[in-house]
Amino acid sequence: MSRKERPPIPEPLPVPTVDAHTHLDACGATTPDLVRAALDRAVSAGIAAVITVADDMDSARWVAEAATWDARLYGAVALHPTRTEGFGDAERAELERLASTDGVVAVGETGLDYYWDYATPEAQQEAFRWHIDLAKRVGKPLMIHNREAHDDVLAILASEGPPETVMFHCFSGDVEVARRCIDAGYLLSFAGTVTFRNARELQEAARLVPDEQLLVETDAPFLTPHPFRGRPNEPYCAAYTVVGLAELRGQPVEAVAEVTRRNAERVFHLHVTEIEDAERPPEGS
């Protein structure tokens, strides 16, 4: 099978869970019909709801609209840290409006990225502080993007005072960083990287996370889980990561699916059970 083809849809999880961070527009699902098809594939693997996340202004506008198209889809809006050079008042006003809409359940992804040099650390930090304040003002969770900036991300959160809920998306730290996040009460969300064979430090971190602070995501179309690394990712592939996390943590697959769903329902105020019931065909059909 070509590396350009999506992985096969796995057997459905024994209980449904949530893809807590994906980018459906970057996956090519940009119309209502394409979004519905991607969500149908996700549901067939046991991924009952999806949070699609913006990284620039065009994406933020799209996310806020797309979140109205299907009951299984929610959104998060922010300006990605690599795009914050020249972040001005007009963008801030529009993001505040979009973040206040009903289908948007989080402010994200925001944070710091010192791997790329598209925006200076100073611009990223100023924007990060603004997004922290925005999350507190609109009363929604904060989704953190953190790449090679662990100390500064945690220091800024501490100095600004974090919102009630902070999620580290695609957690990339080691055991020491995980402990600091756990002690601060933050949620850690794991993507397909936790299944990679060379990700030993990340796997050790994943074993530490208490059930009540654990989430799962795809970050699609990136970071497709093992053994399909390098192939296009999509929300249904979160099922592979749930299985991998269960093996790492020595827990039943249904337990990991259950706690990650319950955590997503709790912190993002989702209604996954109702969605699952609504999608189930009538008896005898």
Side-chain angles (χ1 to χ4, degrees), residues 17-278:
T17 193
V18 173
D19 179 357
H21 186 111
T22 195
H23 301 274
L24 279 182
D25 50 344
C27 293
T30 55
T31 67
D33 286 347
L34 291 171
V35 164
R36 189 175 304 111
L39 294 173
D40 287 345
R41 288 190 289 273
V43 168
S44 72
I47 309 303
V50 170
I51 300 175
T52 191
V53 182
D55 70 349
D56 63 17
M57 294 305 301
D58 286 341
S59 181
R61 297 178 193 110
W62 181 85
V63 162
E65 180 183 357
T68 69
W69 293 345
D70 193 297
R72 301 167 292 182
L73 183 62
Y74 299 85
V77 299
L79 201 60
H80 191 281
T82 60
R83 301 180 185 274
T84 53
E85 200 70 36
F87 183 36
D89 291 342
E91 293 89 351
R92 295 178 190 219
E94 186 169 14
L95 280 175
E96 182 157 1
R97 177 182 64 79
L98 294 171
S100 300
T101 58
D102 289 342
V104 171
V105 297
V107 172
E109 58 189 283
T110 181
L112 303 175
D113 189 317
Y114 293 167
Y115 178 81
W116 300 107
D117 61 358
Y118 299 122
T120 64
E122 293 77 16
Q124 293 187 45
Q125 291 171 19
E126 180 184 358
F128 184 29
R129 293 177 191 276
W130 182 84
H131 282 93
I132 292 170
D133 182 63
L134 175 63
K136 291 190 281 192
R137 284 188 281 113
V138 298
K140 294 181 180 179
L142 186 73
M143 279 188 179
I144 300 291
H145 173 99
N146 169 32
R147 191 166 187 186
E148 298 188 4
H150 308 308
D151 288 343
D152 283 357
V153 166
L154 290 168
I156 289 173
L157 281 169
S159 67
E160 294 296 310
E164 181 178 353
T165 300
V166 173
M167 162 191 165
F168 274 71
H169 115 79
C170 190
F171 182 78
S172 60
D174 58 15
V175 167
E176 189 267 337
V177 175
R179 287 198 176 105
R180 292 168 68 186
C181 291
I182 292 164
D183 290 345
Y186 304 148
L187 287 100
L188 280 62
S189 182
F190 291 89
T193 44
V194 79
T195 69
F196 293 174
R197 290 176 174 175
N198 62 347
R200 289 192 176 89
E201 287 190 346
L202 182 60
Q203 291 165 357
E204 287 299 317
R207 293 186 180 100
L208 285 181
V209 183
D211 282 355
E212 64 272 14
Q213 290 172 262
L214 183 69
L215 291 168
V216 67
E217 63 172 88
T218 56
D219 199 22
F222 317 107
L223 308 179
T224 311
H226 177 80
F228 305 106
R229 185 175 182 178
R231 302 254 297 267
N233 201 4
E234 206 178 87
Y236 70 81
C237 293
Y240 289 114
T241 302
V242 169
V243 172
L245 276 171
E247 292 174 356
L248 280 172
R249 292 165 61 87
Q251 294 176 298
V253 171
E254 56 266 33
V256 173
E258 178 80 13
V259 299
T260 53
R261 188 193 81 241
R262 288 184 181 275
N263 291 340
E265 287 178 314
R266 183 184 78 251
V267 301
F268 298 114
H269 304 291
L270 312 185
H271 304 286
V272 175
T273 303
E274 290 85 344
I275 294 168
E276 182 195 9
D277 291 342

